[in-house]
Amino acid sequence: MIAFDYIRPADETAALHAATERPGARFIAGGTNLLDLMKLGIERPRYLVDIGALDLREVTETSEGGLRIGALVTNAALAAHPLVRQRYPVLSQAILAGASGQLRNKATTGGNLLQRTRCYFFYDPASPCNKREPGAGCSAIGGFNRIMAILGTSAHCIASHPSDMAVAMRALDARVETRLPDGQTSSRTLEALYRLPGETPHVDHRLAPGELITAVVLPPPPAGRQSYRKVRDRASYAFALVSVAAVVSMREGRITEATLAFGGVGTMPWRNRKAEALLIGQAPSAALFERCADAVLAEATGHGGNDFKIPLLRRTLVASLAKLTGGEP
Amino acid sequence: MSWIEADSGAALTLSVNGMRHDLKLDARVTLLDALREHLQLTGTKKGCDHGQCGACTVLVNGRRINSCLSLAVMHQADEITTIEGLGTAENLHPLQAAFVAKDGFQCGYCTSGQICSAIGMLGEWREGWPSHLGDRADAAPAIDAAEIRERMSGNLCRCAAYPRIVEAIEHYATHEGADA
Amino acid sequence: MTDVSVKMDAPFEQSLLDRSPVPTIGKEIARIDGPRKVSGAARYAAEHFPDGVVHGVLLRAPVGCGRITAVDATAALAMPGVLAVIRDERMIRNAGDFGGDAAPVQGVDEVAYFGQPIGLVVADSLERARAASLCVRVSFESAPGVFDMMAARDSALPPTDDIFGLFLIHTEQGDVERAAGEAKFLVDTIWETPSQNHAAMEPHASVAIWQEGRLTLHGSYQSPVVTRDQLATVMGLPPSQVRVLSPFVGGGFGGKLGVMPEAVAAAIAAQQLGRPVKVVMSRQQVFETTGRRPMTHQRVRLGANRDGRLTLVQHETITDQLEGEVFFEPAGLATHLLYAGENRMVDHKVVRTNKQLAVSMRAPGEAVGLLTLECAMDELAERLGLDPIELRLLNEPETHPEMDVPFSSRALVDCFRQGAARFGWETRNTRPGQMRDGDWLIGQGVAAAARGNLFGPSRVRATIQGDGRVLVETEMTDIGTGTYTILAQIAADLLGMPLEQVEVRLGDTNDPRSAGSGGSWGATTSGSALYAACAELRARLAAAAGVPVEAVTLANGVLTAPGISRPISELVGNGLSVEGATEPGESNQRFNQTSYGAHFCEVRVHAVTGEVRVLRWTSVFAAGRILNLQTAISQAIGGVVFGIGGALTEELVHDPRTGKIVNRDLGEYHVPAHADIPAIDIQFLEERDPVANPLHAKGVGELGVCGAGAAVANAVYNATGVRVRQFPITLDKLLPGLPPVAG
């Protein structure tokens, strides 16, 4: 860990001020990913603004019937929150499928969204990595890439996004609220929060310097059934190889609404609206689910070691849809 | 509120096992290293230093966390409980005694983390927190082995005392859980 | 000085352990070191704080083969609190191994593998040392290395050393090719097993202290005396001027046998700076710079007659190792003796690669050799249409199939029979891929366990103090194996003392030299040395009481004999001390000594995703007398779980382009977690082995891992009909063979 100046402001205004005062400052909340990376010299912030004392730990109902989740609500508290369990079970399930009890007690909602990839090569300063060092090259392409992404990749980076929580939030159309150093607030979807790697894989997201995530807002709960299915190498305490968040609503034997998001396969929490649209108005069937999987995987690319994620995602998606629509595949 | 400059000693107070300790620490010192290197409370172990093994688990305000992934300076308002705060070799906490009776360890290096984690985990269970296995804590009368396994998976044990750790926790939860 | 010794040239018929009036041996006795471990009071290597101690962080080579041309420490040395950036040719490049007092390969310029230590940054705090290590700039010239063993298989050559004759490089009898041609049933299979890391929970750590030219090292070592001797050689000191202390070791599994780079670096730095230095490896460094179980490529060819009798047993292994190092993975070890069969061949070859040192890891040889042999047996049983247990029983040899020696004891058949009954083997699925429970495919598998037992030199001092308390001292370690407790039990039973009256001190090279923890012989060798010491103490007590030793009973601190009853404390004056020793004798050659077992496993495999979950487990073992049933069961469980991890999740991946370890942390090197492991049912059969030692006990620590992975693999095959021959069996390898999702 390279030495840093440290401050623990008491409120948002002071935190934003501190971040402006020392350009390049990074916010730290749970620290479960940032400190991990700092010890390895992968992250080297000169200034840390500890936002742990900020009043962002509430989960409240919005006037629209949704939920506003404070950025500092821990993953554990969010997963255990009665309203989340009742109305957004896919989110509770996704969080509980991730990390460990200890980590979930520390990791926060805002921090989880901004966690960085678990790519083996990103995690080792001795390996070339465009995400860590722009222009250095990508060691995962042509290397051991079992855990890497098959969707949203570029010639410069195939690192997968590791979050489970964010996958469920993407399926729920969550919006991320922020405050900028000038006090302005903004709200954006997860799609607008994240960036695809393209030619600049070192930039994970679109937050401005000093912009602070204050909350995640969930719209009113979707109709229908929800599920999060995670496939991993251990029974617990491992990152997703593939995960599927699905919310499906049926009426009179036909699918009326469907949202699907995927983890472990994309360079960001993945969603494919065309694939969702294929389901609408249709009666559930194995053939339909296969067509949906075709659409999700239309642009998927394997890199050798992760080729299996293509059939694995297909099978997991088809089985999830079959379960949610009540029919056996 | 003011900046603590890089690589300077910051005066801070940590409350550990009911005792207040005044320390002067580099802001980089993790809670784990503060306990081990500065307070010489070495019962809390460093197994990976990256939140991937659970050996460093301590209770902060009753909640289990990985002390390796937290800075000491972030915990001045907190009450920290380590293995040393649960019981001593001469006067074991009932869960520690259950670990001895069931042989819930071999080399002993992950053990403090397993025990602190179990204390925190049972608290979460009593509060009705769900797990990856589902939303059962409110309904089930007592925690079972499957729930213990899932909820304790953040604590690796290479000696693989797992089945006996589960037995020790189950025994404690059934017979002594009310003491915790 | 040794007072008494026991040499095993012939069976030791009468063990005093059978005559204890109040025996603790054989019972489930809680660990005497338990309260210290569960309360955090046990102090491990890094938990020593000598005055003025400073912190060192190892620097790593950022290239897999080549030469370090420059190390620019200017920026690091300018950082506050940084005391030195040390590059000293005495530093060791390769990890040490269990191989005598020679120094491991030294030097900081030549690079033989990626991540090898090339220096040490020392600062007044861990934080400052670690930050400075990130600011050292290393320049290098890269040379072509060999990083991909499988690709370099053609360069494999026979190993250069047979490790004291224990690792047979090549054996052959009969006519293998002819037998293959004539066999009615032939299974000819190729298997791959990956490199693995021991991944003990305690990272390697050392605190080095110099005082008046003498070096004291608190280290995490399985054999402190081997570490001391190697460290003394490295430092150019007589061993008597070096003391290594390892009273608590946070797991070893073979990964802490010889001296490791952090100890040497700490010793050099402490010498140079004139103050104590602590060096704790990061988890990443443990993965990169200690040892590993090497990968293997194995061919197993089995031939059988129509009746199921083996006519051919052939096992050829290619493994990898650094140039110039002697250890190799003897995967054929158990193949020599497990089954009958006239035509046999076992062979080992080594590819020289640029990867960190290959060393022993829990059951070197059997752990990966039985994994493949016992899967091949499963395949053969299916070809023959035989129950896999039946095939094994048909091929039970009466004497060692390759050497003209008897087995000292061998209860493999009983292990299978009793295990089958406990597990409910008769209700198993007999049609692969056909038993289903909802989304899950269910299957069962079985495999044999076997692990060699040896007797070696070890010393223990036993003292009955003036107050009647007993003190047992030896350099032997307890790495979780139960040594503290087992030695206390032996002393308590043989000297008639309550367990609480016995104190055991371990892991200090100032105490009598032991065989160390490794090769499953720690308890039996140190226990036998203690036995010898206690037998002599009994004789001295009898003499002091004026009665013949045969007439004496010792119990509850009192010596009784016809007409006499005296507290033992009254017979010892200021204390009686005896050093006992063991010496290997002819019994090691005259008999084959092996512990045996049978594993039974039930798995479920998710029909959609291929996720494997172990549902149920039974293992039955026969390992001579069990000294402490509680710690023995724990050791057995631990071994079984090692086997499960090896079968399903563990794979240390070296990048074939650079030699760098790809997954060098516990997040991506997957040892089993709680949720992966069900209840494990363990039974030990009643057995005594008088050939082995005076305790009549054989080794337990490594037995559990032997064959366990094969039981898992056979169960996975039984569940899915998919045979995976490249371990670990991760879900990606099962996917192509799973039933369609929609259908």
Side-chain angles (χ1 to χ4, degrees):
Chain A
M1 235 185 275
I2 300 299
F4 49 82
D5 298 353
Y6 170 92
I7 196 166
R8 187 177 169 94
D11 56 42
E12 270 178 56
T13 309
L16 291 167
H17 175 72
T20 334
E21 202 173 52
R22 309 216 173 171
R26 296 282 301 272
F27 296 116
I28 183 167
T32 51
N33 188 217
L34 185 54
L35 292 173
D36 167 35
L37 292 167
M38 286 168 65
K39 286 179 186 183
L40 294 167
I42 296 162
E43 295 274 16
R44 301 185 177 207
R46 290 289 324 281
Y47 314 107
L48 277 190
V49 178
D50 174 1
I51 57 171
L54 272 52
D55 187 18
L56 298 171
R57 294 184 187 273
E58 297 289 313
V59 178
T60 51
E61 290 189 75
T62 62
S63 52
E64 295 79 30
L67 282 188
R68 172 175 281 101
I69 302 156
L72 292 178
V73 173
T74 64
N75 290 175
L78 186 57
H81 196 282
L83 293 179
V84 175
R85 286 151 73 182
Q86 278 166 27
R87 299 178 188 173
Y88 307 94
V90 64
L91 177 57
S92 181
Q93 288 169 20
I95 293 169
L96 293 169
S100 67
Q102 291 94 312
L103 288 165
R104 294 193 295 267
N105 276 337
K106 201 77 177 53
T108 63
T109 304
N112 187 316
L113 289 174
L114 298 188
Q115 68 180 299
R116 308 208 65 190
T117 181
R118 292 282 161 170
C119 170
Y120 321 108
F121 304 101
F122 174 72
Y123 255 81
D124 185 347
S127 298
C129 170
N130 288 323
K131 192 180 267 302
R132 199 169 5 80
E133 195 186 335
C138 173
S139 300
I141 296 173
F144 186 82
N145 50 38
R146 187 164 183 275
I147 63 171
M148 306 301 165
I150 52 172
L151 289 162
T153 56
S154 75
H156 305 277
C157 182
I158 60 171
S160 57
H161 194 277
S163 176
D164 291 296
M165 183 197 81
V167 174
M169 285 183 170
R170 187 125 201 240
L172 291 168
D173 288 318
R175 296 184 73 86
V176 180
E177 293 189 346
T178 63
R179 268 186 74 186
L180 289 146
D182 62 8
Q184 297 281 311
T185 60
S186 98
S187 166
R188 46 163 89 74
T189 62
L190 262 62
E191 188 175 10
L193 172 69
Y194 294 118
R195 287 183 72 267
L196 291 175
E199 294 186 0
T200 53
H202 59 292
V203 190
D204 289 356
H205 57 74
R206 297 175 196 276
L207 296 182
E211 185 173 1
L212 175 70
I213 296 181
T214 53
V216 172
V217 176
L218 301 180
R225 297 159 74 181
Q226 308 177 13
S227 77
Y228 190 77
R229 174 71 165 101
K230 177 173 177 175
V231 184
R232 47 185 157 175
D233 278 325
R234 282 196 290 223
S236 189
Y237 204 21
F239 290 94
L241 293 169
V242 158
S243 71
V244 176
V247 181
V248 179
S249 177
M250 304 258 298
R251 200 170 57 224
E252 292 166 2
R254 297 199 173 262
I255 296 169
T256 52
E257 286 174 61
T259 56
L260 305 169
F262 307 97
V265 291
T267 51
M268 64 159 82
W270 203 253
R271 199 163 160 187
N272 184 317
R273 287 168 203 276
K274 276 188 214 156
E276 293 167 9
L278 287 176
L279 300 171
I280 307 302
Q282 305 295 313
S285 73
L288 175 67
F289 301 154
E290 290 288 345
R291 282 206 304 280
C292 175
D294 288 342
V296 172
L297 291 165
E299 284 166 27
T301 315
H303 299 269
N306 66 352
D307 289 350
F308 73 97
K309 287 189 174 185
I310 293 174
L312 182 61
L313 178 57
R314 169 182 298 279
R315 295 170 68 93
T316 310
L317 171 59
V318 169
S320 289
L321 288 172
K323 279 233 158 63
L324 280 186
T325 55
E328 288 298 319
Chain B
M1 180 200 82
S2 60
W3 288 92
I4 297 169
E5 300 299 323
D7 206 347
S8 67
L12 61 99
T13 304
L14 286 182
S15 180
V16 184
N17 301 327
M19 296 241 309
R20 290 172 63 80
H21 300 271
D22 295 317
L23 294 164
K24 202 162 188 284
L25 293 182
D26 188 321
R28 283 175 287 185
V29 177
T30 61
L31 178 57
L32 173 61
D33 290 324
L35 293 170
R36 282 172 67 81
E37 300 293 331
H38 297 271
L39 298 176
Q40 297 185 12
L41 288 169
T42 54
T44 307
K45 304 302 184 192
K46 184 183 284 189
C48 73
D49 215 19
H50 289 271
Q52 298 170 343
C53 79
C56 68
T57 304
V58 300
L59 299 164
V60 171
N61 305 324
R63 294 276 183 237
R64 53 179 174 157
I65 67 159
N66 300 111
S67 62
C68 71
L69 290 184
S70 204
L71 299 173
V73 68
M74 301 167 99
H75 290 283
Q76 299 202 67
D78 296 326
E79 179 55 44
I80 295 147
T81 305
T82 69
I83 191 74
E84 291 93 344
L86 292 179
T88 62
E90 295 72 32
N91 184 21
L92 296 177
H93 181 283
L95 181 57
Q96 292 171 321
F99 267 66
V100 175
K102 302 287 182 188
D103 215 32
F105 59 94
Q106 294 184 48
C107 80
Y109 199 78
C110 75
T111 312
S112 304
Q114 300 275 357
I115 292 172
C116 287
S117 182
I119 297 283
M121 181 276 291
L122 290 171
E124 295 163 7
W125 169 265
R126 279 195 297 275
E127 287 175 50
W129 287 15
S131 81
H132 176 58
L133 300 187
D135 223 338
R136 311 172 7 168
D138 285 333
I143 196 162
D144 62 18
E147 282 284 355
I148 294 172
R149 285 184 201 120
E150 163 56 28
R151 290 166 188 258
M152 290 295 293
S153 282
N155 290 88
L156 300 182
C157 172
R158 185 54 156 167
C159 298
Y162 294 131
R164 301 187 132 192
I165 293 169
V166 172
E167 276 183 58
I169 296 170
E170 210 172 357
H171 175 87
Y172 166 76
T174 326
H175 296 91
E176 323 245 11
D179 298 1
Chain C
M1 184 204 73
T2 302
D3 292 320
V4 286
S5 76
V6 55
K7 189 174 182 191
M8 291 305 292
D9 285 324
F12 195 102
E13 298 295 348
Q14 298 290 325
S15 176
L16 288 168
L17 290 177
D18 290 313
R19 292 176 45 199
S20 321
V22 197
T24 64
I25 285 293
K27 300 224 162 25
E28 295 190 65
I29 303 290
R31 289 170 202 262
I32 62 171
D33 52 329
R36 279 176 288 169
K37 284 182 173 173
V38 301
S39 64
R43 292 234 162 191
Y44 295 78
E47 297 162 3
H48 294 86
F49 304 92
D51 281 345
V53 68
V54 292
H55 299 260
V57 170
L58 290 167
L59 291 170
R60 70 195 277 239
V63 62
C65 184
R67 206 166 60 82
I68 303 299
T69 52
V71 171
D72 179 359
T74 318
L77 287 167
M79 293 167 74
V82 177
L83 300 169
V85 175
I86 295 171
R87 299 188 72 244
D88 186 310
E89 281 302 319
R90 291 174 295 171
M91 286 183 178
I92 58 171
R93 181 178 94 188
N94 296 358
D97 199 359
F98 209 155
D101 60 4
V105 178
Q106 292 168 281
V108 288
D109 285 335
E110 297 303 315
V111 178
Y113 64 94
F114 204 112
Q116 96 180 25
I118 55 166
L120 185 79
V121 179
V122 189
D124 60 2
S125 76
L126 170 63
E127 291 72 24
R128 286 172 160 177
R130 185 167 53 194
S133 76
L134 295 172
C135 299
V136 173
R137 287 222 299 271
V138 178
S139 310
F140 57 86
E141 277 169 10
S142 150
V146 180
F147 307 122
D148 186 343
M149 184 199 94
M150 297 301 173
R153 267 197 343 262
D154 291 347
S155 69
L157 291 171
T160 52
D161 191 300
D162 66 359
I163 320 292
F164 312 108
L166 296 174
F167 291 7
L168 303 173
I169 293 170
H170 180 91
T171 58
E172 196 165 347
Q173 71 185 46
D175 187 334
V176 167
E177 289 308 323
R178 187 168 154 186
E182 292 177 356
K184 293 283 180 273
F185 293 88
L186 190 71
V187 164
D188 190 356
T189 48
I190 301 290
W191 306 81
E192 291 177 11
T193 68
S195 295
Q196 296 175 337
N197 186 268
H198 309 77
M201 295 308 298
E202 181 199 17
H204 299 61
S206 286
V207 180
I209 306 156
W210 287 88
Q211 272 171 323
E212 293 160 11
R214 301 169 74 89
L215 171 64
T216 300
L217 188 101
H218 299 277
S220 179
Y221 286 100
Q222 295 175 234
S223 178
V225 76
V226 169
T227 302
R228 178 200 68 179
D229 291 352
Q230 294 179 356
L231 185 57
T233 306
V234 167
M235 300 303 293
L237 292 171
S240 58
Q241 279 176 249
V242 182
R243 181 183 185 190
V244 173
L245 293 135
S246 309
F248 289 100
V249 180
F253 317 111
K256 296 175 177 173
L257 286 170
V259 72
M260 292 289 169
E262 97 292 341
V264 173
I268 290 169
Q271 185 180 46
Q272 179 177 327
L273 295 169
R275 56 198 295 190
V277 174
K278 179 186 292 191
V279 182
V280 183
M281 284 196 195
S282 69
R283 178 55 63 182
Q284 289 78 6
Q285 287 168 343
V286 171
F287 275 101
E288 286 190 334
T289 73
T290 64
R292 69 185 161 102
R293 191 200 297 279
M295 68 197 322
T296 68
H297 173 282
Q298 301 180 45
R299 179 190 190 194
V300 179
R301 189 158 67 154
L302 302 173
N305 285 334
R306 217 175 291 282
D307 65 359
R309 282 177 211 282
L310 287 166
T311 54
L312 168 66
V313 177
Q314 182 179 355
H315 195 166
E316 295 169 89
T317 300
I318 299 172
T319 181
D320 71 334
Q321 175 63 295
L322 279 165
E323 190 65 62
E325 294 283 352
V326 297
F327 173 85
F328 67 96
E329 185 75 31
L333 263 187
T335 311
H336 296 294
L337 58 87
L338 197 54
Y339 300 116
E342 203 175 313
N343 303 288
R344 315 176 70 88
M345 194 249 263
V346 175
D347 182 71
H348 300 91
K349 290 195 171 61
V350 177
V351 176
R352 299 296 166 177
T353 53
N354 294 97
K355 302 183 198 170
Q356 87 274 37
L357 187 69
V359 299
S360 299
M361 178 167 147
R362 205 171 195 171
E366 291 95 335
V368 291
L370 282 178
L371 184 60
T372 62
L373 176 67
E374 286 295 278
C375 284
M377 283 292 280
D378 203 62
E379 296 196 33
L380 181 62
E382 190 182 29
R383 288 287 175 80
L384 285 156
L386 275 177
D387 180 319
I389 295 179
E390 190 56 34
L391 174 64
R392 288 164 172 93
L393 301 188
L394 275 171
N395 289 288
E396 174 70 7
E398 283 185 12
T399 59
H400 192 293
E402 294 181 12
M403 297 171 188
D404 188 23
V405 294
F407 295 111
S408 64
S409 56
R410 175 170 167 128
L412 179 60
V413 170
D414 275 357
C415 290
F416 273 115
R417 292 210 167 114
Q418 300 214 21
R422 279 176 90 91
F423 184 77
W425 181 248
E426 73 280 2
T427 62
R428 76 192 184 282
N429 172 39
T430 50
R431 290 166 58 218
Q434 298 303 310
M435 188 185 267
R436 192 158 175 157
D437 175 11
D439 284 337
W440 296 90
L441 302 164
I442 311 288
Q444 294 85 22
V446 67
R451 173 69 183 158
N453 182 74
L454 279 179
F455 197 61
S458 202
R459 290 165 189 239
V460 177
R461 182 167 53 241
T463 305
I464 308 176
Q465 296 166 317
D467 61 2
R469 288 181 59 83
V470 173
L471 180 61
V472 176
E473 296 160 294
T474 170
E475 167 270 337
M476 177 63 194
T477 50
D478 186 331
I479 60 173
T481 38
T483 318
Y484 277 109
T485 314
I486 289 164
L487 294 184
Q489 288 174 263
I490 292 170
D493 282 15
L494 295 183
L495 298 176
M497 289 291 173
L499 203 54
E500 311 75 60
Q501 295 290 309
V502 183
E503 182 186 347
V504 180
R505 291 186 195 157
L506 299 180
D508 182 346
T509 54
N510 280 1
D511 285 330
R513 178 181 190 125
S514 79
S517 293
S520 293
W521 71 357
T524 53
T525 53
S526 62
S528 295
L530 176 59
Y531 180 102
C534 290
E536 175 64 16
L537 283 169
R538 289 169 67 99
R540 293 193 191 175
L541 290 172
V547 291
V549 69
E550 302 76 36
V552 159
T553 300
L554 302 174
N556 301 315
V558 177
L559 177 149
T560 52
I564 187 173
S565 175
R566 305 231 356 230
I568 290 169
S569 56
E570 287 180 10
L571 299 168
V572 298
N574 290 329
L576 274 183
S577 194
V578 171
E579 191 171 318
T582 56
E583 295 173 53
E586 291 174 19
S587 293
N588 277 351
Q589 284 78 44
R590 286 178 49 210
F591 295 87
N592 179 272
Q593 303 173 35
T594 301
S595 302
Y596 295 91
H599 301 288
F600 296 79
C601 168
E602 179 170 298
V603 300
R604 57 179 189 176
V605 179
H606 199 278
V608 173
T609 61
E611 296 154 288
V612 179
R613 302 285 181 260
V614 178
L615 282 185
R616 219 157 56 81
W617 195 283
T618 289
S619 295
V620 177
F621 299 110
R625 186 198 306 272
I626 297 307
L627 300 171
N628 182 329
L629 188 57
Q630 173 124 311
T631 56
I633 289 174
S634 287
Q635 285 277 286
I637 291 172
V640 166
V641 175
F642 248 70
I644 293 172
L648 295 179
T649 56
E650 291 184 37
E651 178 175 16
L652 189 70
V653 180
H654 288 80
D655 191 321
R657 302 165 301 180
T658 60
K660 203 194 84 66
I661 294 176
V662 173
N663 53 344
R664 56 186 194 127
D665 62 32
L666 292 171
E668 294 301 334
Y669 181 87
H670 290 136
V671 305
H674 267 287
D676 295 303
I677 303 303
I680 305 277
D681 171 41
I682 302 288
Q683 187 194 4
F684 283 99
L685 300 182
E686 266 311 299
E687 188 179 68
R688 298 285 184 271
D689 193 331
V691 168
N693 48 57
L695 312 176
H696 297 173
K698 292 185 287 188
V700 166
E702 296 167 304
L703 180 58
V705 64
C706 303
V712 177
N714 292 338
V716 170
Y717 171 75
N718 183 251
T720 60
V722 182
R723 178 65 73 176
V724 176
R725 296 201 184 89
Q726 283 177 305
F727 290 95
I729 307 172
T730 44
L731 58 86
D732 45 305
K733 297 170 190 168
L734 294 171
L735 270 183
L738 295 178
V741 178

